[in-house]
Amino acid sequence: MFLAWGCEAPPKTEIRPNIVFILVDDLGYSDVGYMKNKPDVQTPNIDMLAKNGIIFTDAYAAAPVCSPTRASILTGKSPAALKITCHIPGRDLQGYLDIQNSGHRLKEAFFLDYLPLEEVTIPELLKEKGYVTGFFGKWHLAGAGSAFSNSEGVINSQFHPDYQGFDVNIGGSAYGQPKNWFAPYHNATIYEKTEGEYLTDRMGDEAENFILQNKGNPFFLYLSTYTVHTPLKAPQEIVDKYNGNTYFAMIEKLDENVGKVMNQLKQSNLLNNTMVIFYSDNGGLWGNAPLRDNKGSLHEGGIRVPLVISWPNKIISGQTNSTPVTSIDLFPTIMDVTGVSTKSLEHIEGVSLWPLLSEHKKIPERPLYWHFPHHRKDGLTMGAAIREGDWKLIWNFESDSTYLYNLKDDLGESNNLNLAEPDIYNKLLTQLKKWQSLVEAEMPLLNNN
């Protein structure tokens, strides 16, 4: 356990702030100890991060699956605007679509299976300001077909992190999940150091080493864990500790490596000059109480996620904030914190959270949007959604049905108020369709096969 990193003396000379972004794969809303929804979940280091920072209770991923959210974080643009609205499949794209569209009235909308190089990313802008940039873990923005090839995760290497602004890339490839959790990893972007080492530990070690090597420079560390994605695997002694619950064991290993990173920041005297963001890319797979549904769904359980932001002496600790925020807000927030102007960038859709974090200013109320024109086996999918204030509307494309919820009164989304609140229903649906037109969202077509 790594719980000794609470406070330190301020550095003698403040330099440009470091950014540590910890992005967890498939971590659910309830899967952290500070939420107190799953008593058996043990996350003391993540809980300490939350205690020393601000917890966002109404934080969202821009999509109910991973690749679109990951692209939105890096660019500040919505998945619909990027044309990356679906997870990038592990099999060939056409084969995937043939399976997905079978038996449905609509066929999935067009989507890209990579992040185009012309998109401006966080690390590209920070490098221009002298930052060292390091990526460790899951990328999943570099082509379809990685799970069914012998390429060790390399489909289109020109779209790897090192072509998108990162000086260091360890682990980032087309893989959406690891080939192996224990070395050998069969990932061309990781060389094995120790036989049988655990991937989560290895990524934590690399992140720790990156901090140590670059403590004299401003840096952007992006620890994008493959944890806690399936297939569920963890060291057996940790699994045994949880009476065979491998998922909880994986969460413990995640937490251990968050502690490792935070402890290295403390030892390097960097805590007071580092903003840390802890976030998940979509809803969890294993229950998100009190939310409805899981990953892949446009209900809250598919899109509402944990978010903690911490920066000692800059952000007042111990806060909980219910402002609705989303992944596209993190790009302008990081730019604001590091003093990088975004005025020349077109179509940035997020807003900076820095005034909220530093000055407790309220963000003007604005609608949040989701566009997910894709089929999933479970949950409410193939549709779009809008949240404004306490109200949320979901439009299902396949059935052309709509659902209106008041999240303040009905967090579990059990009471459809379409008929009871026609004015709100019509307003939100009109706004949603206007936004889809504005970002030129790709729409599903009739399936004639």
Side-chain angles (χ1 to χ4, degrees):
M1 295 175 64
F2 299 85
L3 295 175
W5 45 266
C7 300
E8 63 168 82
K12 293 181 180 179
T13 303
E14 185 174 71
I15 59 172
R16 283 168 290 177
N18 307 304
I19 306 295
V20 172
F21 198 125
I22 302 172
L23 180 65
V24 188
D25 196 9
D26 288 1
L27 186 72
Y29 186 73
S30 308
D31 293 339
V32 282
Y34 68 77
M35 290 300 294
K36 304 185 186 306
N37 282 304
K38 295 182 179 179
D40 292 332
V41 168
Q42 302 295 315
T43 57
N45 292 292
I46 296 168
D47 296 348
M48 181 175 284
L49 185 65
K51 182 179 179 180
N52 291 333
I54 180 169
I55 298 168
F56 286 89
T57 61
D58 292 45
Y60 291 94
V65 293
C66 53
S67 301
T69 301
R70 291 165 183 274
S72 74
I73 291 168
L74 289 164
T75 63
K77 298 169 68 172
S78 67
L82 291 165
K83 315 304 178 191
I84 307 174
T85 48
C86 188
H87 79 279
I88 296 171
R91 64 168 303 141
D92 67 284
L93 195 54
Q94 189 55 55
Y96 170 83
L97 291 172
D98 289 344
I99 294 171
Q100 291 296 101
N101 292 331
S102 178
H104 290 288
R105 182 180 73 89
L106 298 177
K107 60 182 179 180
E108 295 199 4
F110 167 82
F111 66 95
L112 293 175
D113 67 345
Y114 61 93
L115 180 63
L117 297 180
E118 56 265 28
E119 296 294 344
V120 178
T121 66
I122 292 171
E124 287 174 335
L125 290 176
L126 293 185
K127 274 176 65 70
E128 294 178 0
K129 295 296 182 179
Y131 276 72
V132 181
T133 57
F135 183 89
F136 306 95
K138 172 176 168 175
W139 181 247
H140 203 191
L141 293 167
S146 61
F148 290 86
S149 74
N150 295 318
S151 63
E152 297 200 322
V154 178
I155 301 300
N156 292 309
S157 62
Q158 67 268 35
F159 299 122
H160 281 188
D162 32 328
Y163 290 91
Q164 299 278 13
F166 286 101
D167 297 311
V168 178
N169 170 35
I170 300 178
S173 63
Y175 277 145
Q177 62 188 55
K179 199 80 165 184
N180 283 340
W181 279 105
F182 297 91
Y185 303 118
H186 298 291
N187 183 328
T189 63
I190 311 172
Y191 65 92
E192 285 74 29
K193 286 187 174 180
T194 306
E195 184 178 355
E197 66 183 1
Y198 186 52
L199 181 58
T200 305
D201 289 335
R202 173 62 185 282
M203 292 298 97
D205 290 345
E206 293 292 350
E208 186 179 23
N209 187 53
F210 179 82
I211 294 169
L212 189 60
Q213 289 184 341
N214 295 287
K215 61 183 180 180
N217 305 300
F219 60 78
F220 174 51
L221 165 59
Y222 201 161
L223 176 57
S224 176
T225 72
Y226 281 94
T227 298
V228 287
H229 199 287
T230 56
L232 302 185
K233 297 285 184 182
Q236 190 59 47
E237 65 272 17
I238 310 297
V239 176
D240 292 342
K241 176 180 173 180
Y242 290 94
N243 298 316
N245 190 321
T246 306
Y247 186 63
F248 286 178
M250 293 178 75
I251 291 175
E252 177 171 315
K253 294 301 290 182
L254 163 70
D255 183 77
E256 179 183 322
N257 283 278
V258 170
K260 191 184 297 180
V261 169
M262 297 305 298
N263 197 48
Q264 186 58 62
L265 288 173
K266 181 182 185 301
Q267 290 180 4
S268 298
N269 201 35
L270 295 174
L271 273 181
N272 284 336
N273 200 52
T274 302
M275 185 172 76
V276 179
I277 301 170
F278 177 87
Y279 193 53
S280 178
D281 62 351
N282 49 247
L285 273 173
W286 312 102
N288 300 290
L291 310 180
R292 180 176 176 180
D293 280 355
N294 300 319
K295 173 184 177 179
S297 172
L298 288 169
H299 280 125
E300 292 291 283
I303 54 178
R304 196 186 290 211
V305 296
L307 172 62
V308 169
I309 303 179
S310 177
W311 188 357
N313 297 335
K314 298 291 185 179
I315 299 172
I316 296 176
S317 63
Q319 299 182 73
T320 298
N321 192 288
S322 60
T323 303
V325 300
T326 183
S327 51
I328 61 174
D329 297 331
L330 298 173
F331 180 104
T333 301
I334 292 171
M335 295 303 107
D336 209 356
V337 166
T338 55
V340 179
S341 174
T342 58
K343 290 181 179 179
S344 63
L345 300 178
E346 296 181 356
H347 310 307
I348 297 297
E349 296 172 75
V351 300
S352 173
L353 305 180
W354 185 236
L356 182 156
L357 294 167
S358 61
E359 303 172 33
H360 310 291
K361 291 183 179 179
K362 290 186 177 181
I363 296 174
E365 189 170 289
R366 48 156 185 169
L368 303 182
Y369 300 100
W370 294 265
H371 181 72
F372 188 62
H374 306 288
H375 298 295
R376 299 279 292 189
K377 290 181 180 179
D378 302 306
L380 185 54
T381 63
M382 180 53 85
I386 175 175
R387 175 177 174 175
E388 186 171 43
D390 295 328
W391 292 98
K392 178 182 174 185
L393 180 136
I394 305 174
W395 172 24
N396 180 263
F397 299 153
E398 176 77 1
S399 62
D400 196 22
S401 54
T402 49
Y403 307 85
L404 178 67
Y405 303 108
N406 185 300
L407 296 177
K408 182 178 180 180
D409 300 331
D410 181 25
L411 185 58
E413 297 174 290
S414 60
N415 186 19
N416 187 355
L417 299 175
N418 270 359
L419 298 179
E421 300 286 352
D423 291 343
I424 295 172
Y425 160 76
N426 286 318
K427 174 191 172 187
L428 292 181
L429 186 59
T430 298
Q431 283 181 265
L432 177 57
K433 291 182 177 180
K434 182 178 180 180
W435 171 78
Q436 288 172 317
S437 177
L438 180 67
V439 297
E440 300 180 343
E442 300 285 343
M443 300 297 290
L445 301 174
L446 285 173
N447 188 5
N448 297 318
N449 295 334

